[in-house]
Amino acid sequence: MRHPAGSPSSRGVVHPRPFLLLSIRGEDAAADDEYLAMMRFAGVDREGMHRIRLTHESLGEIDLADWSGIIIGGGPYNVSDDPATKSATQRRVEGELLPLIERIVDADFPFLGCCYGVGTLGTVIGATIDRTHPEPVGGMSVSVSAAGRDDALFCDAPDSFDAYGGHKEAASELPPDVVCLASSPDSPVQAFRVKTNVYATQFHPELDIDGVRTRIDVYKDYGYFAPESAQELKVAALQWNVTYPPEILRRFAERYARD
């Protein structure tokens, strides 16, 4: 069983429970940039956010009571990939993640799935996850729904805000009891909530201009865009005023941090 450093389970005394970041990025530059950005925008340090790189190690046994909340970052995996094309690592990761997310949903445990979280959480709750609504790498305009206006993480968001993203799969339909919080012109589901505390965003709340430029460099040969267009995409990313998305991470961390 995993016990974070400083947790009641590991030392026998009460310390603030950290958040747990589950990473599916095998590439060091992208994985480390994601981790640093998640910590920075959530307002925590390494003691406040532990990371498991699922491409490098198995998930192991997770006791939800050890954590304030769980975050899943994005990456090159898609749950809708043809099973015949999935690597052994991807199959293992999904085989470990989906049962954990089922437990999270059952417990209504604080969860924020960023990009890949839409596919994994969406699969667990019976959403339609397919390739109908891809978005190119770069900026997008996200519009908050009427339901989003009443949500704890989105209630103070502008009616529309700029964000960075880029994905091959998305949720094209949600179950009726799931709350759609935001959309974009090319993707009808940019964020949703299950029950009270379980969230997913299609955009990346941890991405700023430096982060998106790093992702473009790292993933230029992964089929998201023509490799020769990488520099053009970096220039285009400068045209977007991405300031609000990190607020989602800050609110999530402040809302769910617990001793």
Side-chain angles (χ1 to χ4, degrees):
M1 179 182 298
R2 293 181 185 272
H3 295 304
S7 73
S9 302
S10 63
R11 295 188 178 182
V13 294
V14 175
H15 293 280
R17 292 179 175 92
F19 291 88
L20 176 61
L21 172 63
L22 302 178
S23 170
I24 61 161
R25 298 188 186 279
E27 308 79 16
D28 289 346
D32 291 345
D33 182 78
E34 176 185 70
Y35 186 28
L36 291 171
M38 290 282 190
M39 288 189 290
R40 182 169 73 253
F41 293 131
V44 300
D45 57 17
R46 291 178 187 271
E47 291 186 357
M49 186 176 292
H50 180 68
R51 175 178 63 164
I52 299 175
R53 291 187 69 182
L54 294 174
T55 51
H56 290 57
E57 59 179 318
S58 294
L59 179 63
E61 185 178 350
I62 299 296
D63 186 345
L64 297 181
D66 284 336
W67 309 98
S68 284
I70 293 177
I71 300 170
I72 290 181
Y77 293 165
N78 298 281
V79 294
S80 61
D81 287 339
D82 183 340
T85 69
K86 292 182 179 182
S87 67
T89 301
Q90 181 175 351
R91 292 195 298 271
R92 173 185 58 78
V93 169
E94 291 178 358
E96 294 172 345
L97 273 180
L98 296 182
L100 173 62
I101 296 174
E102 288 178 359
R103 290 171 51 207
I104 286 169
V105 172
D106 287 344
D108 196 16
F109 185 78
F111 173 85
L112 178 61
C114 307
C115 195
Y116 185 57
V118 168
T120 49
L121 176 58
T123 296
V124 165
I125 63 172
T128 301
I129 305 298
D130 56 28
R131 307 297 179 99
T132 307
H133 301 286
E135 290 179 297
V137 172
M140 64 190 68
S141 178
V142 176
S143 297
V144 178
S145 69
R149 296 262 65 94
D150 295 325
D151 180 78
L153 298 190
F154 284 81
C155 60
D156 291 331
D159 290 340
S160 64
F161 59 86
D162 291 350
Y164 289 127
H167 54 97
K168 298 175 183 177
E169 70 179 7
S172 58
E173 187 174 356
L174 296 172
D177 59 341
V178 174
V179 181
C180 182
L181 301 171
S183 63
S184 66
D186 293 324
S187 187
V189 180
Q190 273 293 331
F192 64 87
R193 189 188 74 239
V194 183
K195 296 184 176 178
T196 302
N197 302 309
V198 181
Y199 290 87
T201 66
Q202 190 66 77
F203 64 90
H204 285 270
E206 83 285 1
L207 269 188
D208 58 11
I209 184 60
D210 291 333
V212 77
R213 289 168 69 91
T214 295
R215 304 277 176 89
I216 289 170
D217 284 336
V218 171
Y219 294 111
K220 66 181 180 180
D221 296 314
Y222 281 67
Y224 292 99
F225 53 86
E228 62 272 15
S229 68
Q231 185 58 38
E232 181 181 346
L233 289 174
K234 291 181 187 180
V235 173
L238 292 168
Q239 309 306 311
W240 297 85
N241 183 29
V242 177
T243 57
Y244 183 78
E247 182 73 6
I248 301 295
L249 274 170
R250 185 189 68 80
R251 284 176 174 266
F252 182 82
E254 288 185 354
R255 179 175 176 81
Y256 295 114
R258 62 195 178 108
D259 292 335

